[in-house]
Structure formats: structure tokens, C-alpha cells
Amino acid sequence: MPIDATGAVDTTANPHAAWLILPRLRVQNANAISSPMTWGFPSVTAFTGFMTALERKLGPDAGIRFSAIGIICHGFEAQVTPTRQGVYTHSFALTRNPVLQDGGTAAIVEEGRVHLDITLVLQASISDALLDDAQRQACANAIAQQVAGMRLAGGSVMPPLPQQASQRSLKVKLVRQESDFEQRERQFKRLSRQWLPGFALVSRDDVLHARLADMQSNSPPGAPAPTLLDAWLDVSRLNIRASLHPDTQAVEWKPDVRPGWLVPMPVGFAALSQLHAAGTVSGARDARAPFRFVESVYSIGQWISPHRLSDCTHLMWQPTYEPDTGLYRCTNPYAEHAAAASQAETHVPLSIAD
């Protein structure tokens, strides 16, 4: 697929552009602790890793390649229990594993789990053979069989419920994108209504940088300059601030206004060391691949209803790599779209009727 200067996939008038839709996947015991500083929904890198694993399992003869993935969540059930004592209201329901060689149980390693109900939309490029409707449906059926035996974010993909297996809208589909922009927009709107009720995960880097600029402008003289970490922590929590009413001089407590359902999340990794040759680091998971020590990279995301998106590209997360900085990051273009839309609204000329 053609790629523009920003690294985004260009699907304009591309007859080989398609969407692979994996609707209402039930994932059991997915990893709920995706970074040292966050817990909850799995990291975006878990889904891009699933995309890469699926392409490798299908092989080059399948005639399909994936470049980005969209995530819609319909259900989230954390495996937690109420805590009767201590500082936390809930704690993870942990298991006693692994078993030692002598049959005894090792110390519990915290491993949060969550059951998910999700829809995945994969940006795909298909071969000439899959331009035929029958061949494309056969490929979708083969992918459904492959996905049924895979793992996602450390969890197991469960078979569909009996009431789901008979619904046509819940079948795996490989849909060719319309070449015309307006037709493609109507096509996406029609598909997005099938993903309701649910929430799509998009990037809001713009909110993070806007909050940093606001904190820096309001920083007291002589105080340390706020950093991106300060802004990230500020956006991640619920802030309730006191203010004086202008008329009564009474103290009012009001929460900060947020542009939506914002969440802190890991979006990739930053290199801590050089790239070591394969097999030179003991204990590596794969001795056949180069190895590098990394740390998590964080940003701000937003859960938004899919029907509020105007284009499928705003839904997509694409893995990127910067060799110069050693940054492995998943990017999503929604923040740029939101910033452009906000700027357009600010500069719209007003007409006053007589």
C-alpha cells in the first residue's frame, strides 16, 4: 500500500484496500496490567502484536497484508474482588502459579486479568485474487478459523455464544473499501453502526500537550517548570478545584472539564540500550531475534463512540519505529483530526442576518 510522508497508509482510490472486521471477539483472562504505571484495558501494542501474529500465521500465500488496527470495546470485566481491609477498594483475583519443581507453590506474582468483548478492524491490502467476492469470503472464513485458536493480550479467544453464531452481522468479514471518498464515508458510517454499543480507542496527544502549555503558562514564578509527566498525571486523575463565586464570595468546588472519556495508556517502548545480536542475551524469549532493553512510553487516549468518527483512518493504530531515537510507538491520527477540526471551528467566519 502507498505510504505518505507522515507514515500513514494512503487508501485513496486503491482497489486493493480492504477492512478485515473481527466482530465481538470474546477474550478470556487478558492481561490487565500492561505497564508499570497503568492497569485496565490492555496496551495497544498487544493488539498490533496480534495483527502481526495473524499475518504470519496466514502466510504470504494468503494474499493479504495488515498495516493498522482499530479497537472497539463492548464489554470489560476486570477479575477483581472487594477488599475488606487495606488502602485499596478492590484487589485482583490471583492464582497460585507456577508450581515449583518440588510440587510446592511459588510466591504469587501479581497478574491482573480481565474478560473482554471487543471488535477489531484491521486495515488490509489484498491481492488480485481476493478482488472476487467469493474468494474474499473464503479468506474471511479461513481467518475466522485461525483467530479462534489464537491468543490476544495474553488471553484466550473464546468461541462465539450460540445466539451470536447465527447472526450474520457477527460473522468475520473482509470488505473492500470504496474508491470514492463520499461512498467510503457512507460505507464506514454503515459499518460503525454495527459496532454499537461500544467505544473506540483513539489517541489524544493534543490534549496532553495543551494541558502542558496551560500548566507552563500558569506556573508560579520561581517554581520548577512543569514537564510532560506532570501534565500526564494531571490529565489522568480527577481534579476538583476550589474557586470563589464572584457575587457571594462563597467557595465552590468544581471538577476540571474534560473533552471526553480520557484515559492514561502505554503506546509503545523507548530503547534503553543498543540492539544486541540474536542469542547474545541470556534469558531472552526468542534467541533467534535481536534483543534490546526498553521502557514503556505513555500517552493519553480517549474512548469515543464509533458513530462519531467520520473516517476509518481515525480509528486505526499503526506501529512505527524511529531508528535514530530507538522509539517503538503506536500512532493514531485522531488527535491531528481533532486539532484541525477545533481550529476550523475557531476560524469560521460569522454572518449576521439583517
Side-chain angles (χ1 to χ4, degrees), residues 241-261:
R241 308 181 192 273
S243 61
L244 289 176
H245 193 278
D247 298 330
T248 63
Q249 296 299 308
V251 176
E252 295 181 343
W253 293 87
K254 296 181 179 180
D256 287 352
V257 178
R258 302 296 190 194
W261 183 2

Side-chain angles (χ1 to χ4, degrees), residues 178-212:
E178 297 288 349
S179 58
D180 181 73
F181 175 78
E182 294 183 356
Q183 293 180 356
R184 187 166 65 249
E185 190 176 41
R186 288 194 294 267
Q187 181 187 30
F188 174 71
K189 286 296 184 182
R190 184 173 62 255
L191 291 172
S192 64
R193 287 194 292 268
Q194 300 177 7
W195 305 331
L196 300 176
F199 292 90
L201 183 62
V202 296
S203 173
R204 292 310 306 264
D205 292 348
D206 57 324
V207 174
L208 182 61
H209 290 285
R211 182 55 187 155
L212 175 62

Side-chain angles (χ1 to χ4, degrees), residues 110-131:
E110 188 171 11
E111 184 177 347
R113 304 174 188 273
V114 61
H115 297 341
L116 299 174
D117 182 5
I118 56 177
T119 291
L120 300 180
V121 184
L122 282 71
Q123 180 70 60
S125 177
I126 58 177
S127 62
D128 293 337
L130 295 180
L131 297 180

Side-chain angles (χ1 to χ4, degrees), residues 290-307:
F291 185 89
R292 170 176 274 175
F293 291 95
V294 297
E295 64 178 349
S296 296
V297 174
Y298 302 90
S299 185
I300 294 296
Q302 180 180 356
W303 291 106
I304 185 172
S305 183
H307 79 282

